[in-house]
Amino acid sequence: STWDTTKLDCLVWLIRYNKYLSKKSFLLVVEAFKETINLGRVNERTPYSSAKHSSGIMGLLINSMRNSLRNLGQVLPEANTYLIILEVAIVNDQNLDTGLSLGLIKELLQYVMMFMSSYDTKQCLEEFKLTVRCMAYCFKNVKAIDSLLEISNGITTVVKLVQGAKEESVIINAIKLSLIHISEPTRPLYISYAVFCMKKK
């Protein structure tokens, strides 16, 4: 079966006009979209997962994430919005590939570093959880590992994330990050060392 890719226009619309919606209305639209893609069981493949499309959603979304980081006064509510959309968008293989090629891992790491600084106050716990979930999903794709290795202090940030995790849901996804392709013999030795540090916690 095929999936109607024009439904991605719904997410594009949300990225552009979410500021005109209440949080409740925004979440209702997201939930309605999830129903169209049968998003329920973890790791379940659906027609949406492999659907090919011509949407420019990932470019728009990543640019919006970058802009939110520059606008410090609005970064928390905007980050929440974009991460909720991102979590649904990257279930589609093409979206994930495009996002990784556009620097998605770097943007998520910047979010992680920002949220970790205030994690103890629980001011941004929801956003922190969303970011870690999105990162854990991204690392199902080997391109995400390559992206991480190209980022200065990328591995170090992931190690700090795993070591500092406290909430159960964050710990679960942090464990997923600690197991990224550790069986691949072609990976550089410092990935193995990073995983060793994570497991040592």
Side-chain angles (χ1 to χ4, degrees), residues 11-12 14-18 56-71 74-75 78-79 81-83 85 107 111:
L11 296 186
V12 172
L14 276 180
I15 297 169
R16 288 178 171 154
Y17 303 113
N18 65 83
I57 182 175
M58 294 310 293
L60 178 62
L61 183 53
I62 291 175
N63 281 334
S64 298
M65 291 172 67
R66 286 174 183 153
N67 290 334
S68 75
L69 286 168
R70 297 190 190 103
N71 187 4
Q74 291 293 316
V75 66
E78 287 188 356
T81 296
Y82 298 140
L83 287 166
I85 296 172
E107 303 308 317
Y111 272 178

Side-chain angles (χ1 to χ4, degrees), residues 1-200:
S1 60
T2 59
W3 185 79
D4 181 5
T5 58
T6 61
K7 292 177 181 177
L8 276 171
D9 292 341
C10 170
L11 296 186
V12 172
W13 186 90
L14 276 180
I15 297 169
R16 288 178 171 154
Y17 303 113
N18 65 83
K19 61 184 178 181
Y20 300 112
L21 297 177
S22 66
K23 184 64 180 290
K24 181 179 179 180
S25 297
F26 168 77
L27 292 175
L28 284 173
V29 175
V30 173
E31 287 304 313
F33 181 83
K34 286 181 178 179
E35 289 182 10
T36 73
I37 64 176
N38 298 319
L39 186 62
R41 298 177 184 175
V42 178
N43 295 325
E44 181 181 9
R45 298 287 296 177
T46 69
Y48 170 68
S49 304
S50 56
K52 301 296 181 182
H53 59 86
S54 57
S55 169
I57 182 175
M58 294 310 293
L60 178 62
L61 183 53
I62 291 175
N63 281 334
S64 298
M65 291 172 67
R66 286 174 183 153
N67 290 334
S68 75
L69 286 168
R70 297 190 190 103
N71 187 4
L72 296 179
Q74 291 293 316
V75 66
L76 203 56
E78 287 188 356
N80 180 283
T81 296
Y82 298 140
L83 287 166
I84 288 173
I85 296 172
L86 177 67
E87 186 176 30
V88 178
I90 58 177
V91 175
N92 175 263
D93 297 337
Q94 182 180 325
N95 284 342
L96 180 55
D97 273 341
T98 302
L100 293 174
S101 68
L102 293 175
L104 176 57
I105 295 300
K106 183 177 180 180
E107 303 308 317
L108 288 174
L109 280 177
Q110 289 187 10
Y111 272 178
V112 163
M113 290 186 285
M114 179 180 63
F115 295 147
M116 281 173 65
S117 64
S118 56
Y119 181 40
D120 289 336
T121 67
K122 297 190 176 182
Q123 175 187 359
C124 55
L125 183 56
E126 182 181 354
E127 291 77 17
F128 188 79
K129 289 179 179 179
L130 276 167
T131 306
V132 176
R133 282 208 304 268
C134 288
M135 285 188 66
Y137 194 91
C138 285
F139 283 116
K140 293 180 178 183
N141 188 315
V142 69
K143 292 179 182 178
I145 313 301
D146 295 331
S147 297
L148 184 66
L149 294 174
E150 292 171 0
I151 299 171
S152 176
N153 296 324
I155 290 289
T156 303
T157 301
V158 172
V159 171
K160 287 181 179 178
L161 165 61
V162 176
Q163 292 179 335
K166 298 174 185 177
E167 287 279 329
E168 182 179 354
S169 61
V170 176
I171 292 172
I172 291 171
N173 282 299
I175 289 172
K176 292 178 183 177
L177 290 177
S178 72
L179 298 175
I180 49 174
H181 291 263
I182 58 175
S183 62
E184 283 196 45
T186 57
R187 290 290 156 199
L189 289 177
Y190 53 86
I191 284 194
S192 298
Y193 175 71
V195 174
F196 168 76
C197 292
M198 295 172 187
K199 289 186 173 182
K200 192 177 179 182

